Amino acid sequence: MNIADMHIAFQIGVDKVASLNYPGFESEEVDFILNQAQDEFVKTRYGGNNLYRKGFEENQKRTDDIRSIVKRASIAPQPVDPFNKPFGLYYLIPNSPNINDVYWFSVHEEVTALVTDCNGFQIKQRIPVKPITHDTYSRMIMDPFNKPSETELLRLEVENKIEIITAPNVQVLALLITYVRRPQRVDVTIPTDCELPEHSHQEVVNTACGIALEGIESRRNQTQKQEQTQQE
């Protein structure tokens, strides 16, 4: 569907459930609700909070649902910061709404690095990254079995930055990240279509109808409560 088709499907869907007893929706309102719906659709498909309790890449359907907004990036390290952990460097999380590149969820991370061996030779290789919490950092950095090494580095997240904690013999060149980005905002006036795969569009519309009907029912309940208060 294009965005005009989604607007029509939304109006039909709401009318089918609520008959003609609902307030009309302006185009801007429909766009807003559709954007809410596609955001909810992406989050449930990524995290597994759906009917089949399957998250992203746990089956082919979940993978196909959001494949169009999965992106890869190579991110260079930032200059040394006084707040860096020892052997740590920051990498800026993608956040460019003007070019439709806003990081939402990480799928996979690794680094390209130069590793110095025991003979002093540097070898370029890829090293996996292990996400950790700030609470566990101090314990893991002192644990010989879990501290950063040439086989695995540690990862923290601070504000809009990822911090990679390396080992003394590892020089990180770039962070390679695969992530789910925020879907672009639909807009019937520009127009801007939903960029999610075609098969997902009706599911997004159905979710939007549910959001709209919940809002209508909430307003009805508030009106009924106000009328009851006035009667009392």
Side-chain angles (χ1 to χ4, degrees):
M1 299 185 202
N2 59 33
I3 185 59
D5 293 334
M6 293 183 78
H7 271 240
I8 294 170
F10 170 83
Q11 299 289 1
I12 292 173
V14 172
D15 184 48
K16 185 181 295 184
V17 177
S19 185
L20 297 176
N21 298 319
Y22 72 92
F25 290 93
E26 300 293 336
S27 296
E28 294 81 0
E29 294 177 300
V30 178
D31 281 338
F32 182 81
I33 296 170
L34 286 171
N35 281 316
Q36 279 187 296
Q38 72 169 356
D39 289 352
E40 183 176 320
F41 179 86
V42 170
K43 291 172 184 177
T44 56
R45 268 52 184 182
Y46 174 82
N49 184 22
N50 52 68
L51 177 63
Y52 300 103
R53 296 295 185 265
K54 296 290 186 181
F56 179 62
E57 293 189 329
E58 288 189 36
N59 64 29
Q60 191 60 45
K61 173 65 165 61
R62 296 285 84 83
T63 302
D64 289 340
D65 281 343
I66 58 175
R67 65 175 184 266
S68 59
I69 56 172
V70 176
K71 187 173 180 179
R72 290 177 175 171
S74 176
I75 307 172
Q78 295 295 297
V80 175
D81 188 286
F83 289 101
N84 282 138
K85 301 290 189 185
F87 299 106
L89 285 175
Y90 289 139
Y91 300 77
L92 294 181
I93 292 174
N95 184 30
S96 302
N98 293 336
I99 58 172
N100 195 32
D101 186 17
V102 177
Y103 169 100
W104 260 14
F105 309 115
S106 177
V107 175
H108 179 259
E109 296 172 19
E110 62 182 357
V111 300
T112 55
L114 295 176
V115 178
T116 304
D117 64 18
C118 56
N119 296 315
F121 295 105
Q122 287 188 320
I123 304 170
K124 187 177 182 179
Q125 65 185 61
R126 291 194 177 190
I127 305 174
V129 172
K130 180 179 181 178
I132 63 171
T133 65
H134 291 268
D135 288 341
T136 60
Y137 166 78
S138 297
R139 175 173 54 80
M140 296 188 72
I141 205 72
M142 300 300 294
D143 186 338
F145 299 103
N146 287 300
K147 68 180 183 179
S149 69
E150 61 270 16
T151 60
E152 185 178 70
L153 304 181
L154 301 181
R155 171 205 193 272
L156 291 168
E157 196 164 326
V158 183
E159 296 178 340
N160 63 333
K161 300 183 287 289
I162 291 171
E163 184 172 19
I164 301 298
I165 316 299
T166 70
N169 64 325
V170 176
Q171 178 188 349
V172 175
L173 303 176
L175 171 65
L176 307 178
I177 182 171
T178 303
Y179 61 99
V180 176
R181 62 172 174 79
R182 188 186 74 174
Q184 68 181 356
R185 306 294 86 185
V186 300
D187 190 326
V188 75
T189 58
I190 296 179
T192 306
D193 294 331
C194 177
E195 65 175 329
L196 297 176
E198 176 74 22
H199 73 265
S200 69
H201 292 181
Q202 187 60 54
E203 295 179 68
V204 171
V205 170
N206 293 343
T207 300
C209 291
I211 293 172
L213 292 169
E214 285 178 7
I216 292 170
E217 191 61 34
S218 175
R219 289 198 295 270
R220 284 176 178 168
N221 290 339
Q222 289 176 356
T223 300
Q224 289 173 354
K225 289 179 181 178
Q226 289 173 355
E227 289 175 351
Q228 289 171 357
T229 302
Q230 291 173 357
Q231 290 174 359
E232 294 173 356

